[in-house]
Amino acid sequence: MCFGKGERYWYYNAIMQCLCYMLHVTSESKIPSLGDPQASQRPGEGRRGVSLTAPASPEAAAGCPRGGRPPLSRTLLPLFEQGKILEKAGVCSQIAFTRYLQSGRKLGPDPQLWLQDARFAGVPVRVYRPRAPSAGLRAGAIFFHGGGWLYCSIDSHEKICRYIARESESVVVSVGYRLAPENKYPAAYEDCLNATIHFMKNIEHYGVDPARIIVCGDSAGGNLAAAVSQTLAGGSDLPKLRAQILIYPGLQAVDFNLPSYQQNQGVPLLIRKHAAFFALQYLNGDALHMQEVLEGSHIPPDMRLKYRKWVSPDNIPEKFKARGYKPHKPREFKAEVFEKVKRLCEPNLCPLLVEDAVVQQLPESFILTCEYDVLRDDGLLYKKRLEDNGVRVTWYHLEDGFHGIIGLHDYRGLSFPAGKRGLDRIVKFIKGL
């Protein structure tokens, strides 16, 4: 089936509304209540008792006639708006409700993989090792799941990690880092760093080649992978990282008005305001200044001038500005807001802002971006920074992709070919190292 640009935009939004509307919780399902110790999704735990009911057609789910554009504000209604309703009713918090739906389910044994739950430096992990014998040492990939630092778990990304381990014949370690807002920045970063260091110091137990260690992550996990890679760059007491794999990563919180943020501001699975919401929840445990951050009034003029060489629409190729981009002038600077959110500018939270001296020491990189994703330009800007500093970059852009599509390569009978293409390119990159 072929679509023009406008039709393709409608089609993917309709499909994603269809997917979101499939998530209905049965009356028998147990949703964590306020104060429930299970309300904070524990790494490695899955959800239970969720039934899926597919609507008759994408048109029915989208609530619009064929050829029309669905109301984007309704796209995430099942996850976010229903969560707000339940929170106001005192049933459960919005975050607990969304975690419950997104946490993933326990899968059965895999005939091709050994699975082991463990703790690395106190951090929950799951290790995936191919059962087939290997002629030599394998590559080892440390994987950090996405979910805006608030959501998801080892279980939610189980299929991705199994696929990578099976197809690349490598050892994969999935890290169950602590989630915000209960555990604010830098908790997630510290967990990922400590788990990675533990793995690097003990790789002989897992049959991993010390010259082929990779950090990898999607979305917020891509952010964490980039931050860990930067921290380990230039160190001499550990094996050198061979590569970093960043899957539609979020890498900055300076400018939420780059072309991709404007063009895809209402496109699921990540809309513009939620990108800011997640960053603020991770930083402070609340999103009190979300509007100021979206408008750009949280960055002092002198700092904005400094960061402009790295975070600017001028560094985005012109072909990515053709679809409805208008230059944005930040609102007047608000010093009181900056004081509350100034740690947003720390490289461990916003890796795109690290100095060139660090970038020059980074390992070979793979960056995957999606056209219909607010975070597209974060990936493009980091690609440019890496290349400008002599780092080899393999870039793969999904023209028909949207945020989160890797996790939907095989979702309960639904298959998104672009997601599988992206995963296969990641596998190819690992096998080529």
Side-chain angles (χ1 to χ4, degrees), residues 31-266:
I31 304 173
S33 61
L34 289 172
D36 187 333
Q38 293 183 350
S40 299
Q41 183 70 39
R42 296 187 184 92
E45 293 183 351
R47 73 178 180 193
R48 298 290 185 272
V50 176
S51 65
L52 298 181
T53 305
S57 66
E59 291 88 345
C64 63
R66 169 70 174 163
R69 183 170 293 181
L72 299 182
S73 61
R74 291 176 52 197
T75 303
L76 298 181
L77 177 65
L79 297 186
F80 291 94
E81 297 307 319
Q82 289 185 18
K84 287 181 181 179
I85 293 170
L86 291 171
E87 183 170 85
K88 290 178 180 179
V91 177
C92 68
S93 72
Q94 177 187 357
I95 289 175
F97 175 74
T98 309
R99 282 178 183 169
Y100 180 75
L101 293 182
Q102 293 187 338
S103 59
R105 299 185 306 157
K106 285 277 190 181
L107 299 179
D110 191 306
Q112 299 181 53
L113 298 172
W114 296 107
L115 273 63
Q116 176 190 4
D117 286 340
R119 285 186 175 267
F120 286 0
V123 181
V125 301
R126 183 168 297 157
V127 183
Y128 305 81
R129 291 187 289 175
R131 292 176 182 262
S134 174
L137 296 176
R138 301 181 187 274
I142 304 99
F143 185 90
F144 311 130
H145 67 77
W149 304 281
L150 277 71
Y151 303 120
C152 297
S153 64
I154 289 174
D155 285 341
S156 69
H157 284 60
E158 177 90 346
K159 284 189 176 182
I160 294 176
C161 291
R162 289 190 183 196
Y163 190 94
I164 293 173
R166 281 196 308 265
E167 300 302 319
S168 68
E169 301 178 335
S170 60
V171 175
V172 174
V173 177
S174 183
V175 179
Y177 56 85
R178 288 171 290 170
L179 301 177
E182 300 90 339
N183 304 283
K184 295 182 285 189
Y185 168 79
Y189 158 75
E190 290 175 345
D191 283 358
C192 292
L193 177 63
N194 291 334
T196 301
I197 291 174
H198 177 95
F199 182 62
M200 296 173 88
K201 288 181 175 180
N202 296 276
I203 52 173
E204 69 274 9
H205 300 304
Y206 301 98
V208 170
D209 184 349
R212 290 197 293 157
I213 301 175
I214 306 154
V215 289
C216 175
D218 70 308
S219 192
N223 168 284
L224 294 165
V228 168
S229 183
Q230 290 177 1
T231 301
L232 297 176
S236 58
D237 57 336
L238 292 168
K240 299 283 187 184
L241 285 177
R242 177 62 180 87
Q244 60 176 345
I245 298 174
L246 312 180
I247 305 167
Y248 33 74
L251 299 170
Q252 60 86 32
V254 172
D255 190 348
F256 287 92
N257 293 281
L258 293 168
S260 63
Y261 286 88
Q262 292 188 24
Q263 296 162 344
N264 303 309
Q265 61 181 312

Side-chain angles (χ1 to χ4, degrees), residues 356-376:
D356 285 343
V358 176
V359 178
Q360 292 164 5
Q361 300 181 72
L362 292 175
E364 182 176 351
S365 304
F366 178 98
I367 298 177
L368 184 143
T369 55
C370 295
E371 179 62 26
Y372 300 104
D373 181 8
V374 292
L375 301 185
R376 181 198 68 197

